[in-house]
Amino acid sequence: KEQIDKQIIYLENFSFNFDAMTFLKGNEALVLSKTEQRLLRLLVMNRGLILSREDLLERIWDGGEFVDENALSVTVRRLREKLEDNPAKPQYIKTIYGIGYTWAIRSEAE
């Protein structure tokens, strides 16, 4: 179930307001770093699309040339720890092995 209300994006039990930088999981406020916010925005705005590691590195770290590739993995892990009920088995931020990441669009049946 997804709904957009001006600047707020509602996805399942999340609400993300990127303009006000307020992020909720249910009624719980999430504190996200600037880097986590950038990653989340890219994933949420491109739901269902696979974003390559190279594309994410470039878009999150303005060019990405001087960023350790591990920085993306660390940011993904930290974001999963804040968003996912079980970060070891993510339901939202999915790894597409050898390519990158996607925000999974889940069916109502799940």
Side-chain angles (χ1 to χ4, degrees), residues 13-110:
N13 67 332
F14 296 107
S15 67
F16 303 130
N17 184 332
F18 291 99
D19 294 332
M21 294 187 288
T22 56
F23 309 95
L24 296 174
K25 178 180 180 180
N27 295 322
E28 179 190 345
L30 302 171
V31 178
L32 304 181
S33 71
K34 294 273 186 235
T35 305
E36 291 164 348
Q37 289 175 32
R38 287 206 244 348
L39 174 60
L40 180 62
R41 177 179 224 140
L42 287 168
L43 291 170
V44 166
M45 296 301 186
N46 296 284
R47 297 188 279 298
L49 300 175
I50 298 168
L51 301 175
S52 73
R53 290 184 61 86
E54 294 76 23
D55 189 31
L56 289 169
L57 281 167
E58 202 166 285
R59 292 167 73 183
I60 294 170
W61 286 277
D62 300 327
E65 294 119 37
F66 306 109
V67 177
D68 181 352
E69 186 152 329
N70 191 40
L72 180 58
S73 301
V74 170
T75 303
V76 168
R77 189 186 77 235
R78 288 188 181 146
L79 194 54
R80 280 179 175 152
E81 287 170 357
K82 294 175 183 182
L83 297 178
E84 303 281 359
D85 292 329
N86 180 355
K89 293 183 180 163
Q91 297 180 339
Y92 304 105
I93 302 171
K94 296 278 193 181
T95 300
I96 310 303
Y97 288 99
I99 303 172
Y101 299 95
T102 187
W103 182 277
I105 297 177
R106 295 160 20 116
S107 67
E108 292 296 319
E110 285 187 67

